[in-house]
Amino acid sequence: MENSVINHLPTDFTTNRLHVFDDALKASDYVARQIAALIRRRQLEGREVVLGLATGSTPKGVYEELVRMHRYDGLSFENVITFNLDEYYPIEPHDEQSYTWFMNQYLFSHVNINPHNIHIPHVTGPENHVKNYCDEYENKIIAKGGIDLQLLGIGRNGHIGFNEPGSCFDSVTRLINLHPVTRNDAQVYFGGIENVPKQAVSIGMSTISQARNILLLALGPAKSEIIKQAIDGPITPDVPASILQSLPQAQYIFDKNAAALL
Ligand code: PGA
């Protein structure tokens, strides 16, 4: 059940853009339904749909529900094109910490998506090669007509994708240095901070801002402080997710723990 008892925010925020649910399951199901509805609408129109996808613990429930819809509700992914937000650098795609592995594990290997339609910003080789790769990734998104729906999580430091604090709002896909908070939060997956890559490739703040729909999903009490800053605080590169305040196509979907300080 959606909970609308958040009083001090402007009405358009509470009625249109902010959705708070009792628990993570309900919030995740809401996001999955938005994605499925767009996929199906495009199918009826005979069109493809371009999804921007996220990794991490937050979207797992969304992917679980999409897989369930594929298995039991006839949701087809034949018309779906995906671009993932980010990937560590360097990393091997078969490493269990890689986002290639993650996406196969939680979504792609369970649905009928055409492998040619999947894009994850994985690159190897020296940094000068990476720059060309990033430009090509950005150009591929543009060539597909841009992102129709971008799913986002949020880091405890306010990052979206791996756009760490200080990321310019006009940034595009590029190699970035990971913030200490990000590397610290990732160490459980890598078996120690010394194993966490120091860099990553991420689509940019500008790339994200141009998506036609944006869904920011945040779950759990560990996100409540940064959610307060991102929604109630100033719009600033110091809190990259704060840019969503200025984007009318962005919706916030929280469980009540993530929304506790609003
Ligand atoms: P999490 O990460 O879903 O694992 O909390 C979110 C993010 O860093 O964007």
Side-chain angles (χ1 to χ4, degrees):
M1 174 84 167
E2 196 171 331
N3 175 0
S4 55
V5 188
I6 289 180
N7 294 321
H8 67 283
L9 293 168
T11 310
D12 69 322
F13 240 115
T14 52
T15 56
N16 298 331
R17 296 180 55 192
L18 179 58
H19 309 271
V20 181
F21 293 86
D22 286 342
D23 58 41
L25 187 65
K26 292 190 179 91
S28 302
D29 284 358
Y30 175 84
V31 170
R33 285 199 304 277
Q34 302 292 309
I35 294 172
L38 182 60
I39 294 173
R40 288 189 164 117
R41 198 155 65 238
R42 288 295 176 83
Q43 279 163 3
L44 288 174
E45 296 167 359
R47 295 169 63 196
E48 293 177 325
V49 59
V50 180
L51 301 180
L53 297 181
T55 50
S57 58
T58 305
K60 284 183 185 173
V62 175
Y63 298 145
E64 199 176 314
E65 177 60 9
L66 287 171
V67 169
R68 193 202 62 74
M69 289 176 171
H70 171 69
R71 286 201 183 129
Y72 301 110
D73 297 343
L75 178 66
S76 171
F77 285 72
E78 270 177 342
N79 66 328
V80 174
I81 294 169
T82 64
F83 286 91
N84 264 78
L85 279 169
D86 48 20
E87 177 60 289
Y88 293 107
Y89 172 86
I91 202 158
E92 295 299 328
H94 54 77
D95 287 347
E96 288 193 14
Q97 297 82 13
S98 84
Y99 291 157
T100 304
W101 188 92
F102 178 101
M103 290 308 300
N104 284 330
Q105 176 79 4
Y106 292 101
L107 184 64
F108 295 148
S109 66
H110 306 289
V111 297
N112 63 334
I113 189 166
N114 181 339
H116 295 297
N117 288 348
I118 294 170
H119 305 86
I120 295 176
H122 175 260
V123 58
T124 53
E127 286 192 22
N128 57 359
H129 174 67
V130 176
K131 166 83 177 86
N132 290 338
Y133 178 90
C134 290
D135 291 347
E136 279 170 24
Y137 196 78
E138 188 79 23
N139 287 336
K140 276 186 200 162
I141 295 174
I142 294 166
K144 287 294 178 188
I147 294 168
D148 291 304
L149 186 153
Q150 178 65 60
L151 175 59
L152 295 175
I154 182 171
R156 286 190 306 122
N157 60 5
H159 74 201
I160 47 177
F162 275 139
N163 291 286
E164 301 287 29
S167 294
C168 298
F169 286 166
D170 61 359
S171 56
V172 293
T173 304
R174 68 207 184 288
L175 187 65
I176 52 102
N177 295 323
L178 292 173
H179 189 268
V181 169
T182 302
R183 293 190 68 236
N184 190 61
D185 284 354
Q187 65 174 309
V188 287
Y189 303 111
F190 284 87
I193 195 147
E194 65 281 6
N195 300 323
V196 181
K198 294 188 170 61
Q199 292 183 299
V201 169
S202 178
I203 74 169
M205 296 295 289
S206 167
T207 327
I208 291 171
S209 301
Q210 289 174 50
R212 285 179 277 277
N213 300 279
I214 299 173
L215 304 181
L216 175 72
L217 177 63
L219 307 172
K223 299 294 170 68
S224 60
E225 179 54 45
I226 193 63
I227 287 300
K228 182 172 172 53
Q229 288 181 44
I231 288 192
D232 282 349
I235 300 175
T236 165
D238 294 342
V239 181
S242 66
I243 197 175
L244 302 185
Q245 292 179 38
S246 68
L247 301 176
Q249 77 275 30
Q251 291 183 62
Y252 303 87
I253 300 99
F254 304 146
D255 67 5
K256 64 183 180 201
N257 291 325
L261 301 181
L262 294 177

